[in-house]
Amino acid sequence: AADNNANGIPDNQEIAPYPVYGSNVPQGAKCFRAAYGDVYIGVNLRDTAAGYQLDAAQSVSHYTSQAGLSDSATLPLGLINYKLHVPQAGDTAIITIHFSVPIPYHYDWINYTLSGYEEYEANSTFASDRKSVSLSVRDGDVGDMDGVANGIIVSMGGYGRMSSTPSTMEGSSSSETGSAKCFITALISY
């Protein structure tokens, strides 16, 4: 999708910050519409020290067949994809995702990796009002989809729950796995 104002949000999803979470969305948050439903989302990087920068954020459908995604997770709003820079390769960052409505208590944070969906409970903390979740992501490790410690973190996930069938790309052909990598590259190139 086009980003004509080069602010890291696709133009067809972009909104002003005020509908997301009242006045509690921090200055500089990237705010956009969810892929599904009438929900607004704001993404901000907690650490604003030198070298930390949230480059882009968007909402995407979790039914995108090119990524090898399956129905092994229920994700009511689709997926939230973001890209950020950290000062040093291997650094950890905290991302907070704000929602215009509370997240139901029976949902957790689900991350997507090249291996499929995985629960992200150990690295996610929901606010008491369930209108935001803070995620810990580490360059080249947990929460970084490319798995490379290169100063760039790309992550994709959403609130939802896992089905009883594990999501995996085991047994996938190399062309299917290659398609997933191309999909991830396409997401971060906006």
Side-chain angles (χ1 to χ4, degrees), residues 67-70 72 110-119 144-147 156 162 165-172 176-178 180-181 184:
L69 301 176
S70 68
S72 64
I110 306 294
N111 245 24
Y112 178 74
T113 70
L114 290 178
S115 299
Y117 290 113
E118 57 187 31
E119 293 177 344
D144 187 5
M145 289 174 60
D146 70 7
M156 185 164 54
M162 300 292 289
T165 306
S167 170
T168 182
M169 289 178 62
E170 287 181 29
S172 297
E176 288 171 322
T177 304
K181 290 179 182 176
I184 291 165

Side-chain angles (χ1 to χ4, degrees), residues 127-152:
S128 60
D129 65 1
R130 304 285 289 184
K131 282 190 154 186
S132 68
V133 60
S134 293
L135 307 171
S136 176
V137 293
R138 184 178 177 131
D139 182 34
D141 197 5
V142 65
D144 187 5
M145 289 174 60
D146 70 7
V148 178
N150 57 3
I152 300 170

Side-chain angles (χ1 to χ4, degrees), residues 66-181:
Q66 293 172 315
L69 301 176
S70 68
D71 291 331
S72 64
T74 301
L75 299 157
L77 300 181
L79 293 163
I80 298 164
N81 174 237
Y82 56 87
K83 175 184 174 184
L84 62 101
H85 278 83
V86 293
Q88 302 281 326
D91 279 353
T92 298
I94 305 293
I95 288 284
T96 301
I97 301 175
H98 304 269
F99 300 92
S100 59
V101 297
I103 298 167
Y105 283 96
H106 59 280
Y107 288 126
D108 293 312
W109 194 259
I110 306 294
N111 245 24
Y112 178 74
T113 70
L114 290 178
S115 299
Y117 290 113
E118 57 187 31
E119 293 177 344
Y120 206 66
E121 288 179 75
N123 296 292
S124 60
T125 305
F126 287 92
S128 60
D129 65 1
R130 304 285 289 184
K131 282 190 154 186
S132 68
V133 60
S134 293
L135 307 171
S136 176
V137 293
R138 184 178 177 131
D139 182 34
D141 197 5
V142 65
D144 187 5
M145 289 174 60
D146 70 7
V148 178
N150 57 3
I152 300 170
I153 297 173
V154 177
S155 192
M156 185 164 54
Y159 77 77
R161 73 171 107 155
M162 300 292 289
S163 72
S164 57
T165 306
S167 170
T168 182
M169 289 178 62
E170 287 181 29
S172 297
S173 70
S174 61
S175 65
E176 288 171 322
T177 304
S179 293
K181 290 179 182 176

